[in-house]
């Protein structure tokens, strides 16, 4: 049970809480009543405000709508006035721009193009809105006049500022391929930069607004003329330079060189002066062609006169192998080769210029037209060279044909650049160079074959044979011609390969061409050998015939050995060198047999046998006298005759003399020792005219007219 005190306290506590709750409830009731009163008041206020807003809206909305209409009307008026001003401005375009159009675009292209833009817009407006308006005709006429003035300005700028490229600059441009520094320095400025920008703007306007392509014809005609004149100027430069100094020069550009400017000779594309160099070499060192050491023997007396004279004739011989090989021919060849290189470089430069001025879809066609005159000129000149070579072959003038070799080599070397430059041009344009190359290969192969036939069929004319048995001009000419081919091995081999039915123009290899060239050289040498054998029969004296063949064979062998010809020959004939040595030895032996009629008189086997101390019979004395006399007469006769013969090779000459001297001295020494003290005559000095050393000295003077 809960104690009474706790129950009483508990009750009081509950009563207190109840009282508090009643007070709280009473407060909440009073608050709700106040809130209801405030709500009623707010609703009353809002209702009043809504009523007033309704009244205001009903008053303002009509005013707003009226104001909006007024604003719209004002905007329409302003727009109408603006359109009227714009339309009226088109009617003033003709008068505003007529003076500018009449005065032309020169010196004020920007302003002029601005005026043309206004006229263009006026034309478009009248065409769309008032096609029957007289103003349309005015602005149309003004537009056409302006367009014509721009076309005229384009032509004027191109004509006035397009300059021919100087030969010196072209030569520097060409040499830039081998000199990187020079290549960086050399630049072609066909048009000044300011002029170029004007030309570009005019061309773009004419394409976009002028609807005119005639200016492209004007462009290619002007630039074509400059390109053609530049190349012709280079050719004239070669002629003038050759007439004044002999070699054209390409001076360095002074204002761009770090070092002191010096003149540099233009590289000669082909060694077409080798014949003259060989003449100089042989006249200094003899036909053995050796330099330095003990073999360098100065030419003396008739040797020098003979060699210079003979090799001079070799350069101007009747066979025409190197006839007419003068500076003018070299200049023509060099000029053409450099003009070909110049065309490539200038055409590349022209395309770069054209790409900035002519629309892209017209560039290839315009470029094709631009280069035609210069390209046709080069091709025509090339065909003229082919034609001249064809006529020269008929005359057996192979010197002219030699010009084809350096030209053809250069054309084939330049062909990749040619093809790149002519990309996109017409097929007829692209085929011009290959056609010329084919023509040159054909005529070159024809020349080579005719040359070989000419060597084989050269007639044996007695008056044309060297009286001293030295090298025949046919031999020296043939060797000189073959040595010329060394500088053009690939070209000559390709010529021969192009005529082979078993190979197409692109299928033959360099090795195949080399074998063909080797076969050809062996053919020429074989024909030459056969002809020399035939010619040697002209000589009545077999010994002179042997000396003649010896000299020619030795000349051929030495020429082969001191050049790459021997390596070429060895490609198809490994034993050629040994064969020539055998031929040379055979001719020496044949020559030595000529002395048998001298030595046979005093040979041991033909001498009479007698007992020492026994008196000789008259018959025996007579035999000894005849032997001495026969020896003396034969020795004197041979020495007199053979002294006029020639062996230009000093080494061979000394060798043959020494061998003959040894044989004769030994035979004569034995004879003299046996019969010199025998009393076969009362006048021994009449028969014993020479001592052994005297005989040797006489033989040492063989092949020497000055002795």
């Amino acid at each position: 049970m809960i104690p009474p005190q706790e129950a009483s306290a508990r009750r009081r506590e509950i009563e207190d809480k109840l009282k508090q709750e009643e007070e709280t409830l009473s407060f909440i009731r009073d608050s709700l009543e106040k809130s209801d009163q405030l709500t009623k008041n707010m609703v009353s206020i809002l209702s009043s405000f809504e009523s007033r807003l309704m009244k205001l809206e009903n008053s303002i909305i009509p005013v707003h709508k009226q104001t909006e209409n007024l604003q719209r009307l004002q905007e329409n008026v302003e727009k109408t006035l603006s359109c009227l001003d714009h339309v009226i401005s088109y009617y003033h375009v003709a008068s505003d721009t007529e003076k500018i159009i009449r005065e032309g675009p020169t010196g004020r292209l920007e302003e002029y193009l601005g005026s043309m833009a206004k006229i263009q817009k006026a034309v478009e407006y009248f065409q769309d809105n008032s096609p029957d308006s007289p103003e349309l005709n005015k602005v149309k006429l003004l537009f056409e006049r302006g367009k014509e003035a721009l076309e005229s300005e384009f032509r004027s700028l191109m004509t006035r500022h397009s300059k021919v490229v100087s030969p010196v600059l072209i030569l520097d441009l060409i040499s830039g391929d081998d000199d990187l520094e020079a290549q960086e320095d050399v630049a072609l400025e066909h048009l000044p930069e300011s002029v170029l920008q004007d030309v570009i703007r005019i061309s773009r306007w004419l394409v976009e607004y002028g609807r005119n392509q005639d200016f492209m014809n004007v462009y290619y005609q002007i630039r074509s003329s400059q390109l053609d004149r530049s190349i012709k100027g280079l050719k004239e430069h070669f002629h003038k330079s050759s007439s004044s100094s002999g070699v054209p020069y390409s001076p360095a550009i002074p204002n761009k060189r770090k070092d002191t400017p010096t003149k540099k000779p233009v590289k000669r594309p082909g060694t077409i002066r080798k014949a003259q160099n060989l003449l100089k070499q042989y006249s200094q060192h003899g036909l053995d062609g050796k330099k330095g050491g003990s073999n360098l023997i100065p030419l003396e007396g008739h040797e020098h006169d003979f060699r210079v004279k003979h090799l001079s004739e070799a350069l101007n011989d009747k066979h025409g192998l190197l006839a007419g090989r003068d500076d003018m021919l070299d200049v023509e060849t060099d000029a053409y080769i450099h003009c070909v290189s110049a065309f490539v470089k200038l055409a590349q430069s022209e395309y770069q210029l054209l790409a900035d001025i002519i629309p892209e879809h017209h560039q290839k066609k315009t470029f094709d037209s631009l280069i035609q005159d210069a390209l046709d000129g080069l091709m025509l000149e090339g065909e003229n060279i082919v034609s001249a070579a064809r006529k020269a072959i008929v005359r057996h003038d192979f010197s002219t044909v030699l010009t084809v070799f350096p030209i053809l080599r250069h054309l084939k070397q330049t062909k990749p650049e040619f093809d790149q430059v002519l990309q996109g041009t017409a097929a007829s344009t692209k085929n011009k160079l290959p056609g010329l190359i084919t023509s040159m290969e054909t005529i070159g192969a024809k020349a080579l074959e005719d040359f070989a036939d000419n060597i084989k069929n050269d007639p044996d004319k007695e008056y044309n044979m060297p009286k001293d048995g030295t090298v025949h001009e046919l031999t020296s000419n043939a060797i000189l011609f073959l040595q010329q081919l060394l500088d053009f091995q690939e070209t000559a081999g390709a010529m021969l390969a192009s005529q082979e039915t078993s190979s197409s123009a692109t299928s033959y290899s360099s090795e195949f061409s080399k074998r063909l060239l080797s076969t050809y050289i062996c053919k020429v040498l074989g024909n030459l050998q056969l002809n020399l054998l035939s010619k040697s029969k002209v000589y009545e004296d077999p010994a002179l015939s042997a000396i003649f063949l010896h000299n020619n064979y030795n000349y051929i062998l030495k020429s082969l050995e001191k050049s790459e010809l021997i390596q070429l020959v060895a490609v198809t004939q490994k034993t050629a060198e040994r064969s020539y040595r055998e031929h040379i030895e055979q001719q020496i032996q044949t020559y030595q047999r000529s002395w048998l009629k001298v030595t046979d008189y005093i040979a041991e086997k033909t001498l009479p046998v007698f007992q020492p101390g026994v008196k000789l019979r008259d018959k025996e004395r007579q035999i000894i006298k005849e032997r001495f006399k026969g020896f003396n007469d034969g020795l004197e006769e041979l020495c007199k005759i053979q002294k006029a013969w020639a062996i230009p090779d000093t080494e061979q000459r000394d060798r043959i003399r020494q061998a003959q001297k040894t044989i004769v001295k030994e035979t004569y020494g034995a004879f003299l020792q046996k019969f010199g003290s025998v009393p076969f005559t009362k006048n021994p000095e009449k028969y014993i005219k020479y001592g052994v050393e005297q005989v040797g000295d006489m033989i040492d003077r063989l092949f020497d007219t000055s002795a």
Side-chain angles (χ1 to χ4, degrees):
M1 290 195 55
I2 301 172
Q5 291 91 352
E6 292 181 4
S8 178
R10 179 85 175 178
R11 190 171 44 252
R12 282 194 301 271
E13 182 180 352
I14 293 172
E15 288 176 355
D16 289 339
K17 286 184 178 180
L18 180 62
K19 186 178 181 178
Q20 289 179 355
E21 292 293 332
E22 288 176 350
E23 289 177 355
T24 301
L25 181 62
S26 177
F27 175 77
I28 291 173
R29 190 179 289 111
D30 291 340
S31 296
L32 286 173
E33 289 176 356
K34 289 180 182 180
S35 177
D36 288 341
Q37 186 62 41
L38 288 173
T39 300
K40 290 179 182 178
N41 292 339
M42 180 60 69
V43 170
S44 176
I45 292 171
L46 288 175
S47 298
S48 175
F49 184 71
E50 182 181 9
S51 175
R52 291 179 182 181
L53 282 177
M54 290 285 291
K55 291 180 181 179
L56 180 62
E57 182 179 357
N58 292 334
S59 301
I60 293 299
I61 286 177
V63 175
H64 173 72
K65 289 182 178 179
Q66 187 177 6
T67 302
E68 186 178 7
N69 289 334
L70 288 174
Q71 288 177 339
R72 187 178 296 109
L73 288 173
Q74 184 179 1
E75 289 176 358
N76 289 338
V77 169
E78 289 176 353
K79 288 181 180 180
T80 301
L81 290 174
S82 176
C83 289
L84 285 174
D85 289 340
H86 183 68
V87 170
I88 292 172
S89 69
Y90 288 129
Y91 285 87
H92 293 161
V93 165
S95 58
D96 291 344
T97 60
E98 184 176 9
K99 181 181 179 182
I100 296 175
I101 300 303
R102 185 175 63 250
E103 292 176 352
T106 303
R108 53 179 191 179
L109 182 61
E110 190 72 29
E111 181 184 4
Y112 194 88
L113 291 178
S115 298
M116 289 298 294
K118 293 179 182 178
I119 297 171
Q120 174 72 11
K121 290 179 179 178
V123 170
E124 292 172 354
Y125 170 80
F126 288 120
Q127 284 178 336
D128 294 339
N129 299 282
S130 184
D132 297 329
S133 170
E135 292 297 327
L136 176 60
N137 294 331
K138 287 183 181 180
V139 291
K140 268 189 174 181
L141 180 61
L142 196 59
F143 182 81
E144 291 301 321
R145 286 171 55 188
K147 184 171 72 171
E148 290 174 1
L150 283 172
E151 293 172 357
S152 177
E153 179 69 4
F154 182 88
R155 180 188 294 273
S156 176
L157 288 174
M158 291 299 303
T159 303
R160 284 187 287 115
H161 297 282
S162 290
K163 304 298 182 184
V164 174
V165 183
S166 71
V168 171
L169 189 57
I170 294 175
L171 290 173
D172 280 334
L173 185 67
I174 295 172
S175 65
D177 287 340
D178 301 316
D179 184 352
L180 295 179
E181 181 181 353
Q183 194 173 20
E184 293 174 358
D185 291 343
V186 178
L188 293 181
E189 185 182 67
H190 295 293
L191 296 172
E193 184 61 29
S194 59
V195 174
L196 176 61
Q197 294 305 317
D198 286 351
V199 168
I200 292 173
R201 294 200 63 186
I202 294 174
S203 70
R204 290 177 179 174
W205 188 94
L206 290 174
V207 171
E208 185 174 356
Y209 302 107
R211 308 291 194 275
N212 189 333
Q213 298 180 6
D214 291 343
F215 78 94
M216 300 180 197
N217 297 332
V218 171
Y219 177 86
Y220 92 70
Q221 289 169 1
I222 294 174
R223 294 307 309 169
S224 175
S225 174
Q226 299 302 329
L227 175 62
D228 193 39
R229 288 171 58 194
S230 296
I231 293 176
K232 288 179 178 176
L234 177 63
K235 184 177 180 181
E236 292 174 3
H237 174 72
F238 268 84
H239 293 163
K240 291 179 181 177
S241 298
S242 64
S243 61
S244 59
S245 62
V247 179
Y249 288 94
S250 171
I253 302 177
N255 60 347
K256 291 189 177 183
R257 302 289 186 189
K258 297 178 181 179
D259 302 326
T260 304
T262 57
K263 289 187 176 181
K264 56 183 179 182
V266 177
K267 289 188 175 181
R268 306 189 66 80
T271 55
I272 54 179
R273 284 204 174 103
K274 176 175 278 188
Q276 290 90 331
N277 295 335
L278 289 173
L279 171 60
K280 185 184 296 184
Q281 171 188 339
Y282 291 153
S283 66
Q284 291 174 346
H285 302 302
L287 289 176
D288 54 4
K290 295 183 178 179
K291 299 180 182 180
S294 59
N295 288 319
L296 181 57
I297 301 175
L299 300 178
E300 298 176 356
H302 80 292
E303 274 190 73
H304 180 273
D305 297 337
F306 157 72
R307 293 174 196 172
V308 174
K309 176 179 181 296
H310 177 66
L311 283 168
S312 297
E313 292 172 351
L315 298 179
N316 300 280
D317 64 290
K318 67 178 180 64
H319 304 284
L321 305 180
L322 291 168
R325 169 64 64 189
D326 54 12
D327 284 345
M328 186 53 66
L329 198 58
D330 284 348
V331 169
E332 290 291 341
T333 302
D334 284 353
Y336 184 74
I337 287 173
H338 281 85
C339 285
V340 169
S341 295
F343 172 82
V344 173
K345 294 298 182 185
L346 293 177
Q348 289 172 341
S349 181
E350 286 292 343
Y351 192 84
Q352 293 172 358
L353 177 66
L354 175 144
D356 292 332
I357 299 174
I358 304 300
E360 184 176 357
H361 55 289
H362 292 287
Q363 290 174 3
K364 296 294 185 182
K365 182 179 179 181
T366 304
F367 179 70
D368 197 345
S369 301
L370 189 155
I371 62 174
Q372 284 303 314
D373 285 348
L375 182 59
D376 286 344
L378 285 177
M379 295 303 107
L380 178 60
E381 192 171 347
E383 290 298 339
N384 288 340
I385 292 171
V386 172
S387 179
R390 188 175 291 111
K391 294 175 182 177
I393 291 174
V394 176
R395 301 191 308 268
H396 300 302
D397 173 14
F398 294 97
S399 63
T400 304
V401 182
L402 284 175
T403 63
V404 172
F405 286 77
I407 292 173
L408 177 58
R409 179 175 66 180
H410 187 70
L411 289 179
K412 295 179 79 170
Q413 290 173 343
T414 313
K415 187 177 181 297
E417 288 185 272
F418 244 99
D419 293 341
Q420 185 177 6
V421 168
L422 300 183
Q423 266 186 335
T425 58
S428 58
T429 303
K430 294 177 182 177
N431 292 334
K432 288 180 179 180
L433 180 64
L436 178 59
I437 289 175
T438 300
S439 296
M440 287 194 169
E441 282 190 331
T442 302
I443 199 64
K446 170 69 173 171
L448 291 175
E449 290 303 316
D450 280 25
F451 175 80
D453 292 340
N454 191 56
I455 293 295
K456 180 179 180 180
N457 301 320
D458 181 66
D460 304 324
K461 295 183 179 178
E462 186 174 352
Y463 66 83
N464 193 47
M465 296 295 291
K467 304 301 182 184
D468 52 7
T470 189
V471 179
H472 196 279
E473 60 181 354
L474 181 68
T475 303
S476 58
N477 292 332
I479 293 299
L480 288 175
F481 185 87
L482 293 179
Q483 287 173 333
Q484 292 284 296
L485 298 185
L486 286 176
D487 295 307
F488 310 102
Q489 293 183 40
E490 293 184 7
T491 304
M495 285 179 176
L496 296 170
S498 67
Q499 304 305 304
E500 290 290 312
T501 56
S502 61
S503 62
S504 65
T506 57
S507 64
Y508 55 80
S509 64
S510 59
E511 185 62 30
F512 176 68
S513 300
K514 189 173 183 179
R515 289 190 64 84
L516 284 179
L517 183 58
S518 175
T519 301
Y520 171 77
I521 292 174
C522 291
K523 177 182 177 181
V524 171
L525 293 175
N527 289 350
L528 177 60
Q529 187 172 339
L530 291 174
N531 200 319
L532 290 173
L533 283 171
S534 177
K535 289 183 184 301
S536 68
K537 297 175 183 177
V538 172
Y539 295 111
E540 296 179 358
D541 190 336
L544 181 55
S545 177
I547 289 296
F548 170 77
L549 290 175
H550 164 273
N551 284 332
N552 282 271
Y553 292 154
N554 185 64
Y555 176 84
I556 294 171
L557 178 60
K558 288 294 179 69
S559 299
L560 294 177
E561 288 178 333
K562 71 186 176 189
S563 67
E564 294 179 19
L565 282 173
I566 193 65
Q567 285 86 1
L568 269 178
V569 170
V571 171
T572 53
Q573 286 194 11
K574 306 292 186 183
T575 61
E577 185 175 359
R578 186 180 67 189
S579 177
Y580 273 110
R581 294 193 186 281
E582 290 174 354
H583 288 319
I584 291 170
E585 291 302 319
Q586 184 180 0
Q587 299 309 318
I588 291 176
Q589 292 173 14
T590 301
Y591 162 74
Q592 288 175 341
R593 284 197 290 271
S594 68
W595 281 83
L596 290 177
K597 63 182 179 180
V598 176
T599 57
D600 278 352
Y601 278 105
I602 58 176
E604 180 71 28
K605 60 183 179 179
T606 63
L607 295 177
V609 180
F610 64 91
Q611 297 296 326
V614 178
K615 184 178 181 180
L616 296 175
R617 295 191 297 254
D618 291 342
K619 183 179 180 181
E620 291 174 336
R621 286 196 298 271
Q622 186 61 34
I623 290 175
I624 295 173
K625 290 178 182 179
E626 289 175 358
R627 297 309 168 91
F628 269 109
K629 185 177 186 304
F631 173 79
N632 293 335
D633 292 344
L635 176 66
E636 292 169 357
E637 180 185 1
L638 283 185
C639 288
K640 179 180 179 182
I641 294 173
Q642 295 184 10
K643 182 176 66 174
W645 298 354
I647 299 180
D649 187 334
T650 55
E651 182 180 342
Q652 285 291 314
R653 183 170 64 243
D654 292 342
R655 176 190 167 203
I656 292 173
R657 282 174 176 171
Q658 186 60 42
Q660 200 59 54
K661 184 168 64 173
T662 300
I663 295 171
V664 176
K665 283 177 66 176
E666 287 180 357
T667 306
Y668 183 61
F671 177 76
L672 196 59
Q673 183 178 5
K674 188 172 184 178
F675 295 100
S677 59
V678 174
F680 65 91
T681 179
K682 295 179 180 179
N683 300 308
E685 67 277 359
K686 179 180 178 181
Y687 297 97
I688 307 176
K689 297 172 63 173
Y690 306 104
V692 175
E693 294 304 322
Q694 282 181 292
V695 171
D697 292 341
M698 292 173 69
I699 295 175
D700 278 336
R701 289 194 290 272
L702 296 179
F703 318 116
D704 187 358
T705 55
S706 64

